[in-house]
Amino acid sequence: HSRWARDSRVRWAFEEVGQPYDVRLVSFAAMKQPAHLALNPFGQIPTYEEGGLALFETGSILLHIAEHHAGLLPKDAGGRARAITWMFAAVSTVEPPIIELQNAKLLEGDKPWTKERMPGVQDRIRVRLGQLSAHLGEADWLDGAFSVGDLMMVHVLQRLKPSGLLNEYPSLVAYVARAEARPAFQRAFAAQLAVFNGQKPGG
């Protein structure tokens, strides 16, 4: 269970909109059982249940939360559309090469081709970070006020911390730090850390 696991995106979103939530932890074995596959056919986490509604994929869950509670989407239609676009950009454009890097290190670290592949993977990440940094410029957030687009993007960038690549882009380091200073993030991180350390949330 990673400290930057995708379920922490959902915790953070709930904290931003000030909504209580219940967490049910699922073991790796249970994730592959029929009961969980009925909620998420790919046998992954997190899943989200609300009444008779069951959702999977963090982007979908975050969008549902943002659309039903104030605080994560702008009120104007254009701003909402741009915030949603940044959510897609985070998971479709920025995150894939980051996941490729993590897989190369964690899953394929002992393979003969990994060392040769690594510079190329890192350069693909640098291209995206450079483009993102250029867009952000001196702004605090991607498009006006903090939104669900920033939440998703920051969470993706956090995955880069162990690699040190993020440190090459001071504006992005500052961007992530601004988000991590938000009280909602602090609350979500504390709850996630409690799970990571084997404690009950709030314990």
Side-chain angles (χ1 to χ4, degrees):
H1 197 81
S2 167
R3 196 171 301 194
W4 308 114
R6 286 183 175 86
D7 52 332
S8 59
R9 299 174 180 176
V10 180
R11 290 179 186 273
W12 185 6
F14 274 125
E15 294 290 355
E16 287 285 351
V17 299
Q19 288 295 310
Y21 57 96
D22 293 317
V23 175
R24 187 175 69 244
L25 301 178
V26 180
S27 70
F28 284 108
M31 284 163 56
K32 310 306 177 186
Q33 297 303 311
H36 186 74
L37 291 172
L39 301 174
N40 187 326
F42 301 106
Q44 297 174 316
I45 57 169
T47 57
Y48 172 81
E49 294 178 79
E50 179 185 298
L53 176 67
L55 299 175
F56 58 95
E57 294 294 335
T58 53
S60 173
I61 295 168
L62 261 58
L63 184 55
H64 179 79
I65 294 169
E67 286 183 328
H68 288 82
H69 305 285
L72 282 174
L73 279 174
K75 290 190 170 118
D76 66 290
R80 290 169 72 91
R82 288 191 300 272
I84 293 167
T85 296
W86 280 112
M87 285 181 67
F88 277 92
V91 295
S92 298
T93 301
V94 178
E95 189 170 42
I98 295 173
I99 293 175
E100 191 182 356
L101 177 68
Q102 290 181 325
N103 287 344
K105 286 184 173 178
L106 299 175
L107 305 180
E108 303 167 358
D110 57 343
K111 303 289 191 234
W113 66 79
T114 297
K115 191 173 180 181
E116 293 177 14
R117 260 185 64 211
M118 201 64 78
V121 174
Q122 291 175 334
D123 285 344
R124 283 193 286 280
I125 293 172
R126 287 188 178 101
V127 168
R128 293 306 182 208
L129 295 182
Q131 293 165 328
L132 185 64
S133 178
H135 170 81
L136 188 65
E138 299 296 315
D140 283 347
W141 309 114
L142 293 171
D143 188 68
F146 179 87
S147 77
V148 69
D150 292 294
L151 190 157
M152 187 71 95
M153 187 66 77
V154 166
H155 193 275
V156 165
L157 294 177
Q158 285 173 324
R159 299 172 74 110
L160 269 179
K161 283 188 174 185
S163 74
L165 282 174
L166 197 64
N167 295 334
E168 298 175 17
Y169 302 86
S171 67
L172 297 183
V173 171
Y175 171 60
V176 170
R178 275 191 295 279
E180 291 179 347
R182 296 175 69 82
F185 175 85
Q186 295 287 324
R187 292 191 297 271
F189 183 76
Q192 191 77 8
L193 202 57
V195 171
F196 189 76
N197 291 331
Q199 303 166 9
K200 291 182 179 177

